[in-house]
Amino acid sequence: SYSMLLTKVGARKEAIKRLSHLPENNDANIYLAYTYMNQWEYRKAYDLLKKVSQLLETDYKKSVVQLNLAACCLILNNGH
């Protein structure tokens, strides 16, 4: 998505702005969580990923989200 490309080139604020204004959906929330992770905002990312993880239907996406949830937990539990 365009917003993920914005994140990759460092335009994270613009990516967050665009993703936050999209209708609520799993993909937008996943991209938004990844953008937060790129900004070291793991609490925000964790909350979004936790919400999305309960709604996903495909095993692959669920596994990717759970892996990123684990990364968030690792960072949050270590006080970073």
Side-chain angles (χ1 to χ4, degrees), residues 26-27 30 52-58 61-63 65:
N26 290 338
D27 288 337
I30 291 169
V52 169
S53 71
Q54 300 167 356
L55 304 172
L56 292 175
E57 296 176 11
T58 64
K61 274 191 178 180
K62 196 176 281 191
S63 296
V65 166

Side-chain angles (χ1 to χ4, degrees), residues 29-41:
N29 283 334
I30 291 169
Y31 293 149
L32 184 55
Y34 294 162
T35 302
Y36 284 138
M37 290 173 78
N38 278 313
Q39 291 190 179
W40 296 89
E41 295 186 43

